[in-house]
């Protein structure tokens, strides 16, 4: 969670290779509160352990006294390390709590040794430091990385709230504990909440009233606190996006222009892949055996293909490189463990073309491992790529040492696993909202956790690690929101969200449209929402689309929910639906019309000027549709002035049916570009 005080500090934050290269921005200190990880299962949530407080990312060097606005007291529910007199919390990490009532009601009392907010898994430390970690030089894993890391709001105060209790069970986290933690964070006085958690995708229209993150986010918005959450890791399946309530800020995942890379060398041909760890002699060749050729007699080809536990025959594998197919969307370390147990020297992991595409993940494997795409890039111009799609048994290969590569192009590219729209619960709200770095993210880690997070992995004591997922992209956006909050402390959560959305980019570092992870495929708003975040632009957006609690409640009225349900979300305070409201008129920074006929549909929006006096001109485009903006220009004379406009959209008889088309609306004044995606489908 994040809290702000009046201490101003020069800090840097802009998206680039070693997290963020410096620009100058004046910020107040903030408190960031985090609740973490990826998935809900059957009403439970998989959330992270909370924090490793001794990490240098949570050093309070250069940070003054805790501001009086903090209402969380001195509660620090973290056990001290053996032989340590150091208090786990400090002026940076100002609070830590744990919540386990729901878990214990279902599973029995936890051992006293586990009644702590300390991080035993690493995920919580990683995400909290990404949002608000202090500057730390020399960050690396296996001597890879070697740079300065910092969170999006590096001078923020952070507090952590632990809600999960198993080292291995993904269903060990309960929604009631998550909601209790969010409500406690609100009472403690945080300014922002980052929740790297998400439920299973659903078509249940009442999800916004039953999902704990949705409820908690509404509670937060009512107290002027923005809640940022992960979009989920179930891509590229359409409609898999989670955390879809309009009052949640939903974040997808994409790549950086920095890679951790290694190569597979076959004769004079090279396949570039992803790796954190190769300790084989680079000049020595090893024989490849495919996992299906090396399987035990009682193992199925399908199980062996993915190097599942108990599938490899040691007599066929020992001393060789095993070629497996990547099964996990964001994690494949178990495949390496199976190969190591069978005596392999290394692993090469081939992506599944329809599932992983060209998203290459650098993971902390237990033995030398390189991930590579299904089809390979030519290494020399005009030379045919002779490498088969699948490297066969008997092939001799060498593996280069892993290294850090900067300036990758194109970047960003959407991650294959990042969950996609459309929004099945609220079809008139585009989700995800934005995308941010979520591939191969280097950040702080728990010294207790193994590098791979496998129980069989004895390698521990890593202050940093590389992780994958929308859990990693979510705190990037929380950090950006923290900077905006410090610069504009009176802005509402909706204004901050709008600033980030309307300044996001849909172009990569080659100035071409952002690509998807799959060959010859461009990404679209169902993958990246409004686009990839641009923190430098977001601090000065020009115009914002603002919203209040009443706007959200009227949206629920327009959606057809009964007033009893709406009142239950509104702290059980009666809310009476009155007047005429449309779901498409919610003052959201994106425009979505999922069910158009041939009649003209008018959409109303209101923008608030947050810059100097200026005149903005509209430009809208939407292939296959007629689209008009009235008025076509807006003249603002002062900060805070509001102007309303109408967009008219009409399909024609030649417009394809049941197919989404994507366009955009831009308001420009010569300096600012305020962009909103338009997503339309003719029924």
């Amino acid at each position: 969670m994040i809290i702000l005080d009046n201490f101003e500090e020069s800090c840097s934050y802009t998206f680039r290779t070693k997290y963020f290269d410096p620009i100058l921005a004046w910020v107040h200190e903030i408190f960031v509160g985090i609740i973490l990880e990826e998935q809900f299962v059957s009403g439970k949530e998989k959330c992270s352990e909370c924090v490793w407080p001794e990490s240098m990312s949570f050093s309070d060097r250069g940070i003054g006294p805790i501001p009086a606005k903090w209402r969380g007291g001195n509660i620090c529910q973290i056990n001290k390390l053996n032989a340590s007199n150091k208090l786990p919390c400090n002026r940076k990490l100002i609070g830590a709590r744990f919540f386990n009532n729901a878990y214990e009601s279902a599973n029995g009392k936890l051992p006293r040794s586990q009644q702590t907010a300390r991080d035993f898994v690493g995920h919580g430390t990683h995400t909290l430091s990404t949002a608000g970690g202090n500057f730390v030089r020399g960050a690396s894993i296996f001597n890879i990385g070697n740079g300065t890391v910092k969170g999006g709001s590096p001078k923020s105060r952070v507090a952590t709230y632990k809600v999960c209790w198993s080292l291995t069970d993904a269903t060990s986290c309960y929604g009631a504990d998550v909601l209790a933690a969010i409500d406690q964070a609100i009472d403690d006085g945080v300014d922002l909440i980052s929740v790297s958690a998400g439920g299973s995708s659903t078509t249940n229209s009442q999800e916004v009233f039953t999902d704990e993150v949705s409820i908690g986010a509404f509670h937060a918005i009512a107290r002027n606190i923005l809640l940022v959450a992960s979009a989920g890791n179930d891509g590229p399946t359409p409609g898999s996006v989670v955390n879809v309530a309009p009052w949640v800020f939903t974040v997808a995942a994409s790549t950086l222009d920095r890679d951790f890379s290694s190569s597979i060398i076959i004769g004079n041909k090279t396949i570039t892949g992803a790796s954190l760890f190769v300790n084989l002699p680079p000049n020595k060749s090893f024989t490849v055996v495919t996992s299906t050729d090396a399987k035990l007699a009682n193992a199925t080809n399908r199980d062996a293909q993915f190097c599942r536990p108990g599938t490899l025959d040691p007599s066929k594998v020992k001393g060789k490189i095993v070629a497996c197919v990547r099964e996990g969307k964001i994690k494949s370390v178990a495949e390496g463990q199976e190969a190591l147990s069978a005596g392999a020297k290394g692993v090469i992991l081939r992506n599944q073309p329809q599932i992983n595409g060209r998203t290459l993940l650098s993971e902390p494997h237990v033995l030398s491992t390189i991930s590579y795409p299904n089809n390979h890039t030519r290494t020399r111009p005009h030379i045919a790529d002779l490498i088969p799609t699948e490297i066969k048994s008997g092939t001799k290969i060498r593996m280069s040492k892993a290294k850090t590569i900067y300036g990758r192009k194109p970047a960003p590219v959407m991650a294959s696993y990042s969950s996609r729209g459309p929004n099945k619960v609220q079809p008139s709200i585009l989700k995800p909202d934005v995308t941010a770095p979520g591939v191969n993210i280097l950040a702080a880690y728990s010294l207790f956790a193994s590098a791979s997070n496998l129980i069989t992995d004895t390698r521990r004591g890593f202050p940093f690690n590389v992780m994958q997922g929308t859990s990693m992209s979510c705190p990037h956006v929380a950090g950006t929101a923290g900077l905006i909050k410090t610069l504009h402390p009176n802005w509402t959560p909706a204004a901050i969200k709008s600033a980030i959305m309307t300044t996001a980019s849909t172009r990569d570092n080659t100035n071409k449209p952002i690509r998807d992870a799959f060959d010859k495929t461009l990404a679209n708003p169902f993958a990246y929402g409004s686009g990839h975040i641009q923190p430098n632009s977001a601090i000065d957006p020009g115009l914002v689309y603002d919203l209040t609690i009443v706007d959200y409640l009227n949206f629920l009225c327009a959606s057809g929910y009964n007033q009893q349900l709406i009142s239950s979300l509104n702290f059980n305070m009666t809310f009476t639906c009155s007047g005429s409201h449309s779901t498409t008129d919610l003052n959201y920074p994106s425009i979505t019309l999922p069910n158009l006929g041939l009649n003209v549909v008018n959409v109303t929006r209101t923008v608030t000027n947050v810059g100097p006096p200026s005149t903005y001109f509209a430009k809208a485009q939407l292939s296959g549709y007629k689209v008009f903006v009235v008025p076509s220009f807006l003249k603002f004379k002062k900060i805070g002035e509001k102007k309303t406009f109408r967009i008219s959209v009409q399909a024609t008889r030649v417009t394809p049916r049941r197919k989404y088309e994507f366009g955009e609306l831009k308001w420009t004044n010569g300096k600012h570009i305020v962009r909103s995606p338009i997503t339309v489908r003719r029924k």
Side-chain angles (χ1 to χ4, degrees):
M1 317 292 170
I2 297 182
I3 299 181
L4 315 176
D5 66 13
N6 292 322
F7 177 82
E8 291 193 341
E9 180 83 27
S10 168
C11 81
S12 57
Y13 182 68
T14 184
F15 161 56
R16 212 157 120 59
T17 49
K18 298 179 183 178
Y19 269 174
F20 311 103
D21 281 344
I23 63 164
L24 190 64
W26 290 96
V27 303
H28 303 278
E29 294 188 31
I30 55 180
F31 296 143
V32 185
I34 307 287
I35 301 167
L36 306 155
E37 233 232 293
E38 293 112 48
Q39 295 181 352
F40 296 24
V41 182
S42 300
K44 307 172 186 179
E45 300 158 25
K46 180 173 183 275
C47 297
S48 164
E49 313 297 290
C50 274
V51 70
W52 191 262
E54 292 79 16
S55 169
M56 288 301 294
S57 290
F58 307 117
S59 165
D60 61 2
R61 184 180 61 183
I63 295 178
I66 297 171
K69 65 180 289 186
W70 173 243
R71 301 190 299 270
N74 297 317
I75 296 176
C76 185
Q77 296 175 330
I78 302 178
N79 57 312
K80 293 181 182 179
L81 293 177
N82 292 337
S84 173
N85 293 321
K86 183 180 179 182
L87 291 173
C89 296
N90 56 23
R91 296 188 305 272
K92 172 73 172 178
L93 176 64
I94 61 172
R97 298 175 184 262
F98 61 81
F99 299 82
N100 59 12
N101 286 344
Y103 175 84
E104 289 188 335
S105 293
N107 298 280
K109 197 76 173 175
L110 282 163
R112 185 173 180 82
S113 61
Q114 294 184 34
Q115 301 272 354
T116 175
R118 182 173 291 279
D119 181 2
F120 299 124
V121 173
H123 183 281
T125 302
H126 195 281
T127 50
L128 182 57
S129 67
T130 301
N134 212 335
F135 295 83
V136 184
R137 294 182 178 180
S140 66
I141 174 74
F142 307 134
N143 292 317
I144 300 297
N146 295 323
T148 297
V149 298
K150 64 186 183 68
S153 298
K155 292 302 180 181
S156 65
R157 316 290 184 141
V158 297
T160 189
Y161 300 78
K162 178 176 177 177
V163 294
C164 298
W165 301 100
S166 171
L167 303 182
T168 58
D169 183 7
T171 68
S172 67
C173 314
Y174 287 75
D177 289 332
V178 172
L179 181 54
I182 293 173
D183 284 343
Q184 183 63 61
I186 294 168
D187 287 343
D188 286 346
V190 304
D191 294 297
L192 291 165
I193 301 176
S194 182
V195 183
S196 291
S200 58
S201 58
T202 177
T203 58
N204 182 358
S205 62
Q206 295 190 2
E207 180 77 7
V208 295
F209 302 99
T210 59
D211 174 78
E212 290 83 5
V213 172
S214 172
I215 298 168
F218 193 90
H219 292 175
I221 290 285
R223 297 280 290 273
N224 207 37
I225 300 166
L226 177 64
L227 186 145
V228 186
S230 300
N233 300 322
D234 289 323
T237 304
S240 55
V241 63
V242 298
N243 291 320
V244 296
W247 45 84
V248 176
F249 199 175
T250 312
V251 185
S254 40
T255 66
L256 291 153
D257 61 351
R258 183 265 291 128
D259 275 348
F260 304 120
S261 183
S262 186
S263 297
I264 303 168
I265 301 99
I266 308 175
N268 64 351
K269 298 293 296 181
T270 298
I271 301 172
T272 300
S275 180
L276 282 181
F277 182 66
V278 173
N279 65 352
L280 299 177
N283 296 320
K284 183 176 180 179
S285 294
F286 293 86
T287 302
V288 171
V289 61
T290 66
S291 55
T292 49
D293 287 344
K295 76 181 184 68
L296 291 163
N298 63 349
T300 66
N301 279 337
R302 178 167 178 78
D303 286 347
Q305 175 181 261
F306 298 119
C307 290
R308 289 173 177 166
T311 59
L312 298 181
D313 186 340
S315 67
K316 300 175 183 177
V317 165
K318 188 175 181 180
K320 297 179 181 179
I321 305 294
V322 180
C324 310
V325 176
R326 166 181 283 279
E327 183 174 21
K329 289 190 175 183
I330 63 169
K331 201 170 187 180
S332 63
V333 288
E335 298 180 44
Q337 180 61 58
E338 171 62 13
L340 178 66
S341 299
K345 285 289 186 180
V347 168
I348 52 176
L349 280 172
R350 177 170 61 89
N351 276 2
Q352 297 182 68
Q354 301 303 315
I355 295 176
N356 311 114
R358 299 187 68 83
T359 297
L360 295 178
L361 307 183
S362 303
E363 299 180 80
H365 280 276
V366 294
L367 78 172
S368 299
T369 302
I370 300 175
S371 296
Y372 68 101
N374 185 61
N375 50 343
H376 314 305
T377 303
R378 299 174 184 177
T379 55
R380 298 179 185 176
H382 312 302
I383 297 178
D385 187 352
L386 302 177
I387 304 298
T389 295
E390 185 174 1
I391 299 174
K392 303 185 185 309
S393 294
T395 305
K396 295 282 189 178
I397 70 169
R398 290 177 288 128
M399 300 173 76
S400 72
K401 296 289 185 182
K403 60 183 178 180
T404 306
I405 298 178
Y406 301 106
R408 283 291 201 192
K409 293 182 179 181
V413 175
M414 291 308 304
S416 58
Y417 58 76
S418 186
S419 290
R420 313 300 168 96
N423 183 343
K424 292 182 177 180
V425 178
Q426 297 286 345
S428 62
I429 301 296
L430 176 66
K431 291 287 180 173
D433 290 307
V434 291
T435 187
V439 178
N440 300 331
I441 303 303
L442 177 66
Y445 198 63
S446 166
L447 297 184
F448 180 89
S450 68
S452 65
N453 222 245
L454 294 170
I455 293 177
T456 52
D457 187 357
T458 59
R459 302 169 301 169
R460 283 173 167 76
F462 294 93
F464 301 94
N465 205 351
V466 170
M467 299 185 77
Q468 326 288 341
T470 55
S471 283
M472 283 64 247
S473 57
C474 169
H476 280 83
V477 175
T480 302
L483 287 186
I484 296 173
K485 181 75 173 177
T486 60
L487 290 165
H488 307 288
N490 296 322
W491 281 15
T492 65
I496 295 172
K497 181 176 177 180
S498 173
I500 296 173
M501 289 176 65
T502 60
T503 58
S505 175
T506 60
R507 301 214 161 238
D508 61 26
N509 57 0
T510 69
N511 201 33
K512 294 180 179 179
I514 292 176
R515 303 181 195 185
D516 212 332
F518 305 93
D519 282 342
K520 299 179 181 179
T521 303
L522 295 179
N524 62 44
F526 286 152
Y528 55 61
S530 293
H532 196 278
I533 64 168
Q534 303 293 317
N536 295 350
S537 299
I539 62 177
D540 180 23
L543 304 174
V544 295
Y545 295 84
D546 211 350
L547 284 163
T548 68
I549 282 292
V550 172
D551 293 320
Y552 291 120
L553 294 171
N554 283 329
F555 170 81
L556 295 175
C557 293
S559 300
Y561 297 110
N562 67 60
Q563 294 187 175
Q564 184 177 358
L565 266 179
I566 297 171
S567 298
S568 70
L569 187 64
N570 191 36
F571 305 94
N572 288 317
M573 293 187 292
T574 300
F575 181 80
T576 302
C577 296
S578 61
S580 177
H581 301 281
S582 168
T583 57
T584 58
D585 284 341
L586 181 70
N587 204 40
Y588 213 71
S590 58
I591 298 166
T592 306
L593 302 170
N595 206 25
L596 275 186
L598 292 178
N599 294 330
V600 175
V601 173
N602 293 315
V603 177
T604 300
R605 291 289 188 272
T606 299
V607 285
T608 303
N609 183 41
V610 293
S614 186
T615 299
Y616 285 81
F617 295 89
K619 182 179 180 181
Q621 64 86 17
L622 180 62
S623 178
Y625 291 81
K626 297 177 181 178
V627 55
F628 304 97
V629 183
V630 180
S632 60
F633 68 92
L634 301 172
K635 187 174 183 179
F636 296 93
K637 297 179 179 179
K638 60 182 179 180
I639 291 178
E641 187 177 1
K642 297 179 182 293
K643 297 282 185 180
T644 298
F645 62 91
R646 185 181 73 248
I647 303 173
S648 299
V649 180
Q650 184 178 23
T652 68
R653 294 191 180 278
V654 297
T655 303
R657 300 176 69 178
R658 292 180 290 276
K659 178 187 176 184
Y660 278 100
E661 293 290 344
F662 306 100
E664 63 183 14
L665 165 68
K666 289 182 178 179
W667 288 102
T668 59
N669 67 346
K671 176 183 178 183
H672 301 95
I673 299 176
V674 185
R675 180 186 174 277
S676 293
I678 304 175
T679 304
V680 177
R681 182 180 64 174
R682 181 189 168 195
K683 64 182 178 181

